[in-house]
Amino acid sequence: MDLTNKLYIVTGAAADSDIGLAICQKLDNCGAKLILVGRREHALQETLSLLKGKEHIVCPFDLSELQNITTWAKSIVTQYGAIDGLVHSASFQGYSPLRGITPKQIHQYLDINFSAAVMLTSAFSKARHFNPGASFIFIGSAAGQRGLKARTLYAASKAALSSMVQSAALELAAKQIRVNCVAPALVSGAKAEQQFATLGVELSQRLIEAHPLGLSTPEDVANSVYFLLSDLSRNTTGITLAVDGGFLAG
């Protein structure tokens, strides 16, 4: 389905983000115009260089500055017009064994993974900030549906995200805004390799085997995002779509 003349914000759009980059490339291939958001301008410029479209916009912004999101959103709409949707792919990841959790870590995980999502939803659902039929997508995780050892903060932040999506979908239905979540398990790529290095060979193999269909690719996630942005899912809202190779079925 063609997304020409559609304007989408993609957070976590840096070239070194496997999922963020795949989402940008998928939407670019479908003709969409993108606002690429992330903290590091050079990484966003690298993503831009990998896209075919010539109208994409690089917009560096630190989403942990929660108090500035509403004003930033207004400036985006003033400069570029109302959006047709957003994809919040930015994420704070890692391990957080209970014995060493600090208040700073709690803020790090929740600010980006959950609080920024809430503020983005609030800001871009205001009048004249979105076009009719807009779709808001949040990248969650299977960790939010199933506990994982030593990942308390990451799992909790993603569980909160899925819950937010349900409530926001009900509230924003009157505005014809759809709100959904895509929840991958382990996704092949650089971050998966880092995780394998941390876990060691035996635990890594067990983790791979926990995905009956194999690991999802970044493109698998991007395809699901495309589905939920497009009119193919025009009557779908409030769901968390698992893209996990069967991880949650086990």
Side-chain angles (χ1 to χ4, degrees), residues 5-9 33 35 57 72-85 124 127-131:
N5 298 322
K6 299 289 188 180
L7 175 64
Y8 298 108
I9 290 174
K33 179 179 177 180
I35 299 174
I57 300 152
W72 170 78
K74 185 176 181 179
S75 72
I76 290 292
V77 173
T78 299
Q79 291 180 74
Y80 307 115
I83 66 169
D84 294 287
F124 283 103
R128 295 180 293 279
H129 282 52
F130 64 92
N131 289 320

Side-chain angles (χ1 to χ4, degrees), residues 17 22 73 81 84 133 141 161 163 205 229 232 238 240 245 248:
S17 168
D84 294 287
S141 172
L161 188 62
S163 181
Q205 188 58 38
L229 285 176
L232 291 171
T240 293
L248 291 175

Side-chain angles (χ1 to χ4, degrees), residues 50-230:
L50 298 172
L51 304 180
K52 297 184 300 184
K54 303 303 180 185
E55 295 187 88
H56 305 308
I57 300 152
V58 167
C59 186
F61 182 73
D62 186 349
L63 289 166
S64 68
E65 297 177 0
L66 301 173
Q67 72 279 6
N68 294 330
I69 289 177
T70 300
T71 302
W72 170 78
K74 185 176 181 179
S75 72
I76 290 292
V77 173
T78 299
Q79 291 180 74
Y80 307 115
I83 66 169
D84 294 287
L86 67 86
V87 183
H88 181 47
S89 182
S91 180
F92 190 89
Q93 301 185 33
Y95 286 84
S96 55
L98 287 168
R99 66 180 181 275
I101 286 177
T102 65
K104 180 180 178 180
Q105 282 182 306
I106 295 173
H107 280 292
Q108 287 173 323
Y109 281 92
L110 291 180
D111 283 358
I112 296 299
N113 297 356
F114 174 69
S115 300
V118 175
M119 294 305 299
L120 287 168
T121 304
S122 171
F124 283 103
S125 62
K126 295 183 186 301
R128 295 180 293 279
H129 282 52
F130 64 92
N131 289 320
S135 178
F136 295 178
I137 311 297
F138 301 91
I139 304 302
S141 172
Q145 317 296 313
R146 172 178 169 180
L148 295 175
K149 185 177 180 180
R151 304 205 77 180
T152 297
L153 295 180
Y154 179 72
S157 68
K158 294 300 188 178
L161 188 62
S162 289
S163 181
M164 184 277 287
V165 159
Q166 291 179 311
S167 295
L170 293 175
E171 187 169 342
L172 297 180
K175 297 183 176 184
Q176 294 298 302
I177 298 174
R178 296 183 294 111
V179 188
N180 292 291
C181 181
V182 173
L186 188 60
V187 175
S188 61
K191 284 189 169 59
E193 294 304 320
Q194 292 172 6
Q195 194 166 344
F196 294 151
T198 299
L199 294 174
V201 175
E202 183 178 347
L203 290 178
S204 296
Q205 188 58 38
R206 287 187 200 170
L207 182 56
I208 292 170
E209 291 172 354
H211 300 70
L213 291 179
L215 302 185
S216 297
T217 66
E219 291 73 27
D220 291 326
V221 180
N223 287 336
S224 295
V225 168
Y226 164 74
F227 167 70
L228 290 171
L229 285 176
S230 76

